[in-house]
């Protein structure tokens, strides 16, 4: 993990070819993205996470609400869709105001039969110091917290890729 001002970079090697790593990250995101309120809007409900595979597509989660009605929350918009090398999203937590957003860039680099998957999440400086997404953390402490969060998610992707072998 590296912390650079208002960005965090986290990476992990997954033991699948680059095209499969991209497919796991995108088309199968619901299978590896951790569950629970720390990672998903649906919290304790059984939600399904998806990415629409095109520029302008959404990263969104759906689940059944308490009344039985479908709930849908989008937390990302695809800015760049360049399989199998790059995915970039405009990222918006559910507690972001209309004009608040950060940028998430995911790169997939072949390393022989494996793939290096790197996540760069940036733009945190645009969030006000008392923003709820900060959970009371400022500066490097907040970015470090985000790096650990992404690290946990990438470990889940790594574990999912291990199941491929």
């Amino acid at each position: 993990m590296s912390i650079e001002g208002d960005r965090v970079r986290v990476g992990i090697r997954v033991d699948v070819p680059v095209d499969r790593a991209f497919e796991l990250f995108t088309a199968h995101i619901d299978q590896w993205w951790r569950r629970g309120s720390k990672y998903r809007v649906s919290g304790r409900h059984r939600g399904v996470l998806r990415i629409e595979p095109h520029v302008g597509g959404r990263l969104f989660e759906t689940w059944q609400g308490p009344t039985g009605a479908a709930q849908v929350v989008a937390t990302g918009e695809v800015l760049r869709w360049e399989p199998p090398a790059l995915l970039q999203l405009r990222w918006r937590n559910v507690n972001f105001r209309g004009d608040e957003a950060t940028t998430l860039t995911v790169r997939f680099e072949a390393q022989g039969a494996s793939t290096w998957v790197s996540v760069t999440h940036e733009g945190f400086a645009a969030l006000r110091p008392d923003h709820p997404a900060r959970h009371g953390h400022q500066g490097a402490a907040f970015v470090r917290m985000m790096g650990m969060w992404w690290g946990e998610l990438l470990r889940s992707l790594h574990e999912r890729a291990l199941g491929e072998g």
Side-chain angles (χ1 to χ4, degrees):
M1 173 175 61
S2 82
I3 299 169
E4 305 166 11
D6 80 335
R7 82 172 49 126
V8 63
R9 290 181 191 198
V10 180
I12 198 162
R13 185 176 62 90
V14 294
D15 293 324
V16 294
V18 69
D19 56 337
R20 183 62 181 153
F22 187 90
E23 182 182 14
L24 284 173
F25 194 100
T26 58
H28 301 283
I29 192 168
D30 188 63
Q31 295 175 7
W32 63 266
W33 194 281
R34 293 182 179 203
R35 300 198 178 278
S37 58
K38 182 176 178 181
Y39 302 99
R40 295 190 183 224
V41 178
S42 62
R44 60 182 173 84
H45 301 286
R46 176 75 175 150
V48 177
L49 197 59
R50 293 189 184 106
I51 297 177
E52 295 171 329
H54 55 84
V55 171
R58 302 171 298 161
L59 165 62
F60 67 101
E61 189 173 5
T62 59
W63 71 95
Q64 295 286 149
T67 64
Q71 305 290 310
V72 179
V73 174
T75 53
E77 176 190 355
V78 177
L79 300 175
R80 293 175 67 186
W81 180 266
E82 301 172 17
L86 179 74
L87 168 67
Q88 187 174 63
L89 300 168
R90 180 174 184 257
W91 183 274
R92 300 193 70 252
N93 284 1
V94 294
N95 56 12
F96 280 21
R97 292 181 181 162
D99 61 339
E100 294 175 327
T102 56
T103 303
L104 179 70
T105 304
V106 187
R107 296 185 185 279
F108 303 83
E109 300 172 41
Q111 292 186 335
S114 298
T115 304
W116 181 254
V117 180
S118 64
V119 169
T120 303
H121 196 163
E122 59 192 324
F124 302 125
L127 303 177
R128 66 186 191 276
D130 66 340
H131 197 285
R134 292 183 177 276
H135 301 280
H137 298 287
Q138 300 301 317
F142 171 69
V143 175
R144 190 172 19 266
M145 177 189 75
M146 290 302 300
M148 291 184 331
W149 188 81
W150 278 111
E152 292 166 0
L153 285 170
L154 287 183
R155 277 192 297 280
S156 293
L157 175 66
H158 174 79
E159 290 165 12
R160 174 65 178 90
L162 284 175
E164 297 278 304

